Amino acid sequence: MLDPAARYTGYTSYSYLEAGTDYREFTLAPELGRVPAYQGISLSDGQRDRVRRLLTDNVVISLHDHPSVFPEEIGQTVDYNRTARHHTGYAGLARSGMTAVFDNMMDGTCCVTSQMGWKWTDVIADLGMRLSDVAHQDYLIRVERLADIHHAHETGRMGLVLATEAATMIENELDRLDMLYGFGVRQMGIAYSEANTLGSGLKERADGGLTYFGEKAVRRMNKLGIAIDVSHSGDRTSLETIAHSTKPIFITHAGSRSVWPTNRMKPDEVIRACAERGGVLGLEAAPHTTLSPAHPRHSIDSVMDHFVHCVELVGIDHVAFGPDTLFGDHVGLHDTFAAHLSIAEAHGHVDHPRVPYVDGLENPAECYWNIVSWLVGHDYSDDEIGKVLGGNILRVLEEVWH
């Protein structure tokens, strides 16, 4: 495999246009060095060489991230989102060690024409604008089939998998799933925090489960080859989605409620059901989510407490990583969009320290070096590390993407 950092030639988003004339310009957060580098893992020279080899030799896939660059002043994000011109963090991604990333774009904060997000026209604007930028460069490869991921690995580039965290924007129109597939979407959630026409989100007081329309949508996604996610869906909706899908599903970004008792985490019953049907759980690292009693101050150690529990629960063949990071102030973003993202309902009220960022898993550029360093430092084998970096995800995609 070629060195991705060498393959990247320095392209920046929308550089084919004139900032300030063709689009509104914002001062963006730095992609590298916004916070101090993580110092919590001590490795020997031999172990560091092994980390480099593992990142180079394996197909490394993030099951869930938002690899775009946010305004340095995070309070400007609403105005930034309204332009639909999210800037992709190309320089940071080139340093990440990833082969492919499931990019969930603006999702519930996609407020181009509406204050509330999840509108069909806004999602299409988000997709179209991002793809107009991607079409002007050759480092990121749009992933529409498994061969695209392998091609990215072989050529030292990165695959971009278009994804959405919910299907809310299809409303009651099943054929919109076909349209989104045609636009390149290859993974989709059932519901975000609020209920929609498919099922209940984790915010709702009562979970009504997968609706009849939701069952039709699951069947259509199976037929199309869209991978299904239930990270933000209610427990009953998650279980019924797993049961009705003829293909294995993903929990792209979550952790275990047995480790940290909030709605945002999945009960072990759901994690087991996902694994029993061949699916995979991606470990979440968005601020103040995957905490643990041993590490209540959110850091990579908190996340890996969930990793250890989930591996013990369902086996290493059903665990991966979906860090859910971005380039910018993620804590500030949560504060800005607390109502949109149902932060209080999802994260609960379990007492824990507030952090300005998740130490060790702050942005897409650093996550996988630190994850692999942790795994190497804790004596996981090359085979085990290869599975959780991407092998498990590839196994599911081979079945789901036809």
Side-chain angles (χ1 to χ4, degrees):
M1 174 190 138
L2 299 173
D3 178 9
R7 185 65 178 77
Y8 170 62
T9 58
Y11 176 85
T12 57
S13 285
Y14 310 111
S15 55
Y16 54 92
L17 298 175
E18 184 179 349
T21 298
D22 295 314
Y23 64 90
R24 181 177 173 184
E25 188 174 17
F26 293 83
T27 300
L28 300 180
E31 295 170 46
L32 302 169
R34 192 186 77 87
V35 302
Y38 183 62
Q39 302 295 327
I41 302 173
S42 179
L43 299 177
S44 68
D45 289 344
Q47 287 176 316
R48 279 192 290 273
D49 288 341
R50 185 179 170 215
V51 172
R52 292 188 190 95
R53 175 177 58 79
L54 287 164
L55 286 170
T56 300
D57 292 351
N58 287 286
V59 171
V60 180
I61 303 174
S62 166
L63 201 48
H64 184 96
D65 267 308
H66 300 269
S68 54
V69 191
F70 284 75
E72 189 168 57
E73 174 47 60
I74 200 68
Q76 296 176 349
T77 300
V78 173
D79 289 339
Y80 177 61
N81 285 2
R82 283 179 177 150
T83 70
R85 289 189 186 275
H86 261 226
H87 292 237
T88 301
Y90 294 102
L93 290 176
R95 292 276 298 275
S96 69
M98 290 190 287
T99 310
V101 57
F102 280 66
D103 183 349
N104 286 259
M105 300 176 293
M106 281 195 276
D107 278 321
T109 65
C110 181
C111 47
V112 181
T113 65
S114 164
Q115 295 183 33
M116 299 312 296
W118 295 119
K119 301 299 183 289
W120 173 253
T121 52
D122 289 3
V123 170
I124 296 305
D126 184 20
L127 274 169
M129 193 66 80
R130 288 291 301 285
L131 291 177
S132 75
D133 178 52
V134 170
H136 281 84
Q137 55 78 59
D138 66 357
Y139 174 65
L140 288 185
I141 297 173
R142 286 180 59 183
V143 171
E144 298 187 346
R145 53 189 60 84
L146 270 177
D148 297 328
I149 295 179
H150 293 298
H151 181 58
H153 189 239
E154 292 161 2
T155 59
R157 290 187 283 180
M158 182 176 294
L160 186 75
V161 185
L162 299 177
T164 70
E165 294 194 58
T168 304
M169 81 295 290
I170 76 168
E171 299 176 309
N172 63 344
E173 300 190 39
L174 209 59
D175 285 350
R176 285 185 175 179
L177 290 170
D178 300 62
M179 297 177 199
L180 289 168
Y181 182 87
F183 293 141
V185 173
R186 291 295 181 269
Q187 181 256 300
M188 185 177 296
I190 295 297
Y192 198 71
S193 291
E194 291 81 9
N196 59 22
T197 55
L198 285 75
S200 291
L202 55 81
K203 169 184 181 178
E204 304 298 344
R205 296 187 190 90
D207 182 352
L210 196 66
T211 65
Y212 286 123
F213 178 77
E215 291 177 17
K216 291 180 181 178
V218 166
R219 287 196 294 271
R220 181 66 62 87
M221 284 190 267
N222 287 161
K223 291 175 181 177
L224 286 167
I226 295 176
I228 297 172
D229 172 43
V230 294
S231 296
H232 286 277
S233 299
D235 297 345
R236 178 181 169 189
T237 297
S238 297
L239 288 169
E240 292 182 359
T241 299
I242 293 165
H244 279 87
S245 178
T246 59
K247 306 290 185 180
I249 67 112
F250 288 126
I251 303 169
T252 63
H253 58 301
S256 170
R257 204 174 293 170
S258 293
V259 178
W260 194 250
T262 64
N263 286 347
R264 183 63 188 82
M265 302 293 97
K266 291 297 181 191
D268 287 352
E269 178 188 12
V270 171
I271 298 171
R272 276 195 298 264
C274 174
E276 285 167 1
R277 298 294 297 272
V280 168
L281 163 74
L283 272 303
E284 160 81 81
H288 307 120
T289 56
T290 39
L291 304 175
S292 71
H295 298 99
R297 183 174 178 82
H298 206 184
S299 70
I300 188 173
D301 292 311
S302 320
V303 177
M304 300 314 282
D305 287 340
H306 286 262
F307 171 80
V308 169
H309 172 81
C310 291
V311 168
E312 291 175 349
L313 180 70
V314 295
I316 202 149
D317 290 332
H318 300 284
V319 182
F321 293 91
D324 194 6
T325 59
L326 49 83
F327 296 106
D329 180 2
H330 205 163
V331 173
L333 182 72
H334 278 181
D335 292 342
T336 301
F337 285 96
H340 285 72
L341 303 176
S342 304
I343 299 297
E345 294 87 351
H347 294 196
H349 302 282
V350 181
D351 190 37
H352 60 82
R354 289 266 300 175
V355 296
Y357 60 92
V358 180
D359 201 14
L361 297 172
E362 193 270 339
N363 69 69
E366 73 166 7
C367 285
Y368 280 87
W369 174 270
N370 291 333
I371 287 169
V372 178
S373 296
W374 191 98
L375 294 168
V376 165
H378 287 77
D379 299 322
Y380 286 82
S381 70
D382 284 9
D383 181 60
E384 290 171 325
I385 294 173
K387 287 180 177 182
V388 299
L389 287 184
N392 294 337
I393 297 168
L394 287 174
R395 184 193 70 244
V396 174
L397 295 180
E398 284 171 1
E399 189 168 350
V400 173
W401 282 359
H402 314 312

